[in-house]
Amino acid sequence: MASKASSGITVVAPRGSSNLTTSPVLTTVPPSFIEGLINKIPLPRWALIAIAVAAGLVLLLFLICIIKCCCCKKKRKKKEKLNLTNINGASTTASLVQPDLEDIECGLEDEKRGRLQYSLEYDFRGQELKVSVKQAADLKAMDSGGTSDPYVIVFLTSDIRKKYETKVHRKTLSPVFNESFIFQVSRAEVTEAILVMQVYDFNRFSKHDIIGEVTLPLVDVDLQHVMEQWLDLSPAGKIEQEHLGEICFSLRYVPTTSKLTVVILEAKKLKVMDADGLSDPYVKVQLILNKKKWKKKKTTVKKNTLSPYFNEAFVFEVPFNLIQNVDLVISVWDHDKVTKDDQIGKLFLSCRATGNQLRHWSDMLANPRRPIAQWHSLQPVEVMDKTLGLKTRFKLPLPTS
């Protein structure tokens, strides 16, 4: 049996013994760890409880913030995925996948295209503007070999049909041109015109790529003095002449036999001349000797097409001592059964030609017996006729009786 004393000590009697005189066993319950820790802190219980509650609230708020951030990120990712899969949908989608137009324009402007040196001189008496294309430097490489075949086209916006071209310089990014061109422009027109100098990369069998251009409003130029300067090339604008079409032909000259062979191969993208949106094109091949009409031949007519294929050859006998004085004129015509045939466009090649035409003619003379083929852009008829400056044949007066 056990008896409880007033001092809080429990006396336990051994089992099986009724003798209470046996020495008692004393036991005490030790306090818990947390309770012992609290007893060591020199603060009242209410203060400890308040601190514990505040810490719990702070921890709870921290957890809520973490959960909220995670949920927002998941919603944002999900929204972006939905927009990307529906690019053709709402306008808000475009803002996620397309940069602003201002960013695109800035990127194009920042691209280095090179520099061009030129000079200007205006003759007030003769009303002539002399443009000299000096050289270019640090041009953008357009070919796979890291170079370009640059040349420059020069024209005024007051008459974009009148264009000049420099010679083509092979495989260089810093060509030296030193070529001058003269424009007849009055004092009234010169202040309203814009000088455009476009640098192109030459390609024999494909479209020529534009590297960049320089545009100069002449109203901002002091034409009282000769001006020479360098300017950076900018992206090409939208000043373009009417597209008349392109034609491909080959030239071959054999000096020993005095045979000039012209093979008209094909044309493409010709100007529409008929009401049905097509044309009936054919090609005239003409030789001009000392600015007088000499010999001519023409291809067959190709019906209802803007991209005719000819593959027709013409042979002319031109002595070697005359080849330097001959102009080869290629003109494309639209055939009409009722009315007079209309010219679509033309060009000429000779030692006095410029640009790509001069290059093609020079390649033919430098490679005798070898056919040289190349594409050319058709030029306005009135411009070519003015440049050729053909002399009129006067008929001898009949003898008077």
Side-chain angles (χ1 to χ4, degrees):
M1 293 193 51
S3 61
K4 195 173 189 180
S6 62
S7 62
I9 300 174
T10 305
V11 180
V12 181
R15 285 186 183 181
S17 173
S18 59
N19 190 359
L20 296 176
T21 61
T22 309
S23 59
V25 178
L26 302 178
T27 61
T28 58
V29 179
S32 63
F33 173 77
I34 296 177
E35 192 174 318
L37 186 62
I38 292 174
N39 290 333
K40 290 181 180 180
I41 298 175
L43 290 174
R45 289 293 181 94
W46 64 267
L48 295 175
I49 294 173
I51 293 173
V53 172
L57 290 174
V58 172
L59 182 61
L60 182 61
L61 291 174
F62 182 71
L63 293 174
I64 291 173
C65 291
I66 293 177
I67 294 171
K68 189 175 180 180
C69 290
C70 292
C71 292
C72 290
K73 286 183 180 179
K74 288 182 179 180
K75 288 182 180 179
R76 194 178 296 113
K77 289 181 179 180
K78 185 176 180 181
K79 186 176 180 180
E80 289 178 359
K81 287 181 179 179
L82 290 174
N83 286 338
L84 290 173
T85 55
N86 188 21
I87 294 177
N88 296 324
S91 60
T92 55
T93 302
S95 63
L96 292 175
V97 296
Q98 296 179 357
D100 293 337
L101 292 178
E102 295 179 357
D103 296 337
I104 296 176
E105 292 174 357
C106 290
L108 290 176
E109 292 176 358
D110 292 340
E111 185 180 10
K112 298 298 182 182
R113 300 173 181 272
R115 299 177 297 144
L116 184 68
Q117 185 189 29
Y118 66 96
S119 67
L120 293 179
E121 182 179 357
Y122 187 69
D123 181 4
F124 285 89
R125 290 185 178 180
Q127 297 189 354
E128 294 179 344
L129 177 67
K130 181 179 179 181
V131 181
S132 298
V133 180
K134 302 292 186 179
Q135 59 183 322
D138 303 324
L139 294 179
K140 179 182 177 182
M142 305 297 288
D143 299 336
S144 57
T147 61
S148 296
D149 301 322
Y151 68 96
V152 182
I153 293 179
V154 185
F155 64 93
L156 296 175
T157 56
S158 56
D159 186 8
I160 61 176
R161 297 174 302 175
K162 182 68 174 180
K163 292 188 176 183
Y164 291 105
E165 295 181 7
T166 68
K167 296 179 181 179
V168 179
H169 291 255
R170 294 288 186 179
K171 297 182 178 181
T172 177
L173 299 180
S174 299
V176 178
F177 299 103
N178 286 331
E179 297 186 44
S180 299
F181 311 102
I182 295 178
F183 295 89
Q184 291 287 340
V185 54
S186 66
R187 297 186 184 183
E189 294 175 344
V190 73
T191 57
E192 300 178 358
I194 298 176
L195 174 65
V196 181
M197 292 173 284
Q198 298 177 327
V199 183
Y200 279 85
D201 173 50
F202 174 82
N203 293 300
R204 184 177 295 277
F205 298 110
S206 62
K207 184 179 180 180
H208 301 178
D209 300 318
I210 187 166
I211 300 175
E213 71 178 13
V214 169
T215 56
L216 186 67
L218 296 181
V219 69
D220 299 333
V221 179
D222 183 9
L223 296 176
Q224 299 287 343
H225 306 282
V226 178
M227 183 191 71
E228 181 174 325
Q229 66 176 351
W230 284 89
L231 282 181
D232 292 333
L233 295 176
S234 59
K238 296 183 179 180
I239 303 174
E240 295 182 358
Q241 132 182 358
E242 181 185 17
H243 188 77
L244 302 176
E246 300 173 39
I247 185 169
C248 182
F249 54 88
S250 70
L251 302 178
R252 178 174 179 262
Y253 183 67
V254 182
T256 54
T257 61
S258 300
K259 300 295 183 182
L260 173 62
T261 303
V262 182
V263 180
I264 305 299
L265 297 171
E266 59 179 315
K268 63 181 180 180
K269 300 178 182 178
L270 295 179
K271 180 182 176 182
V272 175
M273 303 296 289
D274 298 338
D276 58 0
L278 297 172
S279 297
D280 301 321
Y282 65 94
V283 180
K284 279 186 181 180
V285 182
Q286 190 174 17
L287 289 183
I288 308 295
L289 179 60
N290 295 325
K291 296 186 178 182
K292 293 182 180 180
K293 295 180 181 180
W294 186 25
K295 302 176 181 180
K296 66 177 180 179
K297 297 181 181 181
K298 63 180 181 179
T299 68
T300 56
V301 177
K302 304 297 179 180
K303 296 289 186 178
N304 301 324
T305 179
L306 298 179
S307 298
Y309 180 76
F310 298 100
N311 197 23
E312 298 182 34
F314 305 101
V315 180
F316 299 93
E317 186 173 347
V318 182
F320 183 71
N321 61 331
L322 297 179
I323 194 68
Q324 300 289 339
N325 301 322
V326 168
D327 295 316
L328 173 65
V329 181
I330 307 292
S331 56
V332 181
W333 296 68
D334 173 52
H335 175 72
D336 289 314
K337 293 182 179 179
V338 180
T339 61
K340 184 179 178 181
D341 294 351
D342 299 318
Q343 289 194 67
I344 299 176
K346 69 193 315 179
L347 56 96
F348 77 95
L349 298 91
S350 67
C351 292
R352 67 188 185 105
T354 60
N356 297 324
Q357 289 77 26
L358 176 60
R359 181 75 186 188
H360 195 178
W361 188 260
S362 300
D363 288 346
M364 176 197 72
L365 296 178
N367 298 275
R369 303 178 182 84
R370 176 184 168 191
I372 306 294
Q374 185 174 318
W375 280 95
H376 293 273
S377 296
L378 294 174
Q379 304 297 321
V381 176
E382 56 272 19
V383 173
M384 290 293 98
D385 288 344
K386 185 177 179 180
T387 305
L388 285 168
L390 300 182
K391 296 179 181 179
T392 306
R393 287 184 175 179
F394 294 98
K395 294 182 179 180
L396 295 175
L398 295 176
T400 57
S401 55

Coordinates of all heavy atoms in Angstrom, one line a residue, residues 48-62:
L48 N 6.5 36.3 -23.3 CA 7.0 35.2 -24.2 C 5.9 34.8 -25.2 O 6.1 34.5 -26.4 CB 7.4 34.0 -23.4 CG 8.7 34.3 -22.5 CD1 9.0 33.1 -21.6 CD2 9.9 34.6 -23.3
I49 N 4.6 34.8 -24.6 CA 3.5 34.4 -25.5 C 3.3 35.4 -26.6 O 3.0 35.1 -27.8 CB 2.2 34.2 -24.7 CG1 2.4 33.0 -23.7 CG2 1.0 34.0 -25.6 CD1 1.2 32.9 -22.7
A50 N 3.4 36.7 -26.3 CA 3.2 37.7 -27.3 C 4.3 37.6 -28.4 O 4.0 37.8 -29.6 CB 3.3 39.1 -26.6
I51 N 5.6 37.4 -28.0 CA 6.7 37.2 -29.0 C 6.4 36.0 -29.9 O 6.6 36.1 -31.1 CB 8.0 37.1 -28.2 CG1 8.4 38.4 -27.5 CG2 9.1 36.7 -29.2 CD1 9.6 38.3 -26.6
A52 N 5.9 35.0 -29.3 CA 5.7 33.8 -30.1 C 4.6 34.0 -31.1 O 4.6 33.6 -32.3 CB 5.3 32.6 -29.2
V53 N 3.5 34.7 -30.7 CA 2.4 35.0 -31.6 C 2.9 35.9 -32.8 O 2.5 35.7 -33.9 CB 1.2 35.7 -30.9 CG1 0.2 36.2 -31.8 CG2 0.6 34.7 -29.9
A54 N 3.7 36.9 -32.4 CA 4.2 37.8 -33.5 C 5.1 37.1 -34.5 O 5.0 37.3 -35.7 CB 5.0 39.0 -32.8
A55 N 5.9 36.2 -34.0 CA 6.8 35.5 -34.9 C 6.0 34.6 -35.8 O 6.3 34.4 -37.0 CB 7.8 34.6 -34.1
G56 N 4.9 34.0 -35.2 CA 4.1 33.2 -36.0 C 3.4 33.9 -37.2 O 3.3 33.4 -38.3
L57 N 2.9 35.2 -36.9 CA 2.3 36.0 -37.9 C 3.3 36.4 -39.0 O 2.9 36.3 -40.2 CB 1.7 37.2 -37.2 CG 0.5 37.0 -36.3 CD1 0.1 38.3 -35.6 CD2 -0.7 36.5 -37.1
V58 N 4.5 36.7 -38.6 CA 5.5 37.1 -39.6 C 5.8 35.9 -40.5 O 5.9 36.0 -41.7 CB 6.8 37.6 -38.9 CG1 7.9 37.7 -39.9 CG2 6.5 38.9 -38.2
L59 N 5.9 34.7 -39.9 CA 6.2 33.5 -40.7 C 5.0 33.2 -41.6 O 5.2 32.8 -42.8 CB 6.4 32.3 -39.8 CG 6.8 31.0 -40.4 CD1 8.0 31.1 -41.3 CD2 6.9 29.9 -39.4
L60 N 3.8 33.4 -41.2 CA 2.6 33.2 -42.0 C 2.6 34.1 -43.2 O 2.3 33.7 -44.3 CB 1.4 33.3 -41.1 CG 0.0 33.0 -41.9 CD1 0.0 31.6 -42.4 CD2 -1.1 33.3 -40.9
L61 N 2.9 35.4 -43.0 CA 2.9 36.4 -44.0 C 3.9 36.0 -45.1 O 3.8 36.2 -46.3 CB 3.1 37.8 -43.5 CG 1.9 38.4 -42.6 CD1 2.4 39.7 -42.0 CD2 0.7 38.6 -43.5
F62 N 5.1 35.6 -44.6 CA 6.2 35.2 -45.5 C 5.8 34.1 -46.4 O 6.0 34.1 -47.6 CB 7.4 34.9 -44.7 CG 8.6 34.5 -45.5 CD1 9.3 35.5 -46.2 CD2 9.1 33.2 -45.6 CE1 10.4 35.1 -47.0 CE2 10.2 32.9 -46.3 CZ 10.8 33.8 -47.0

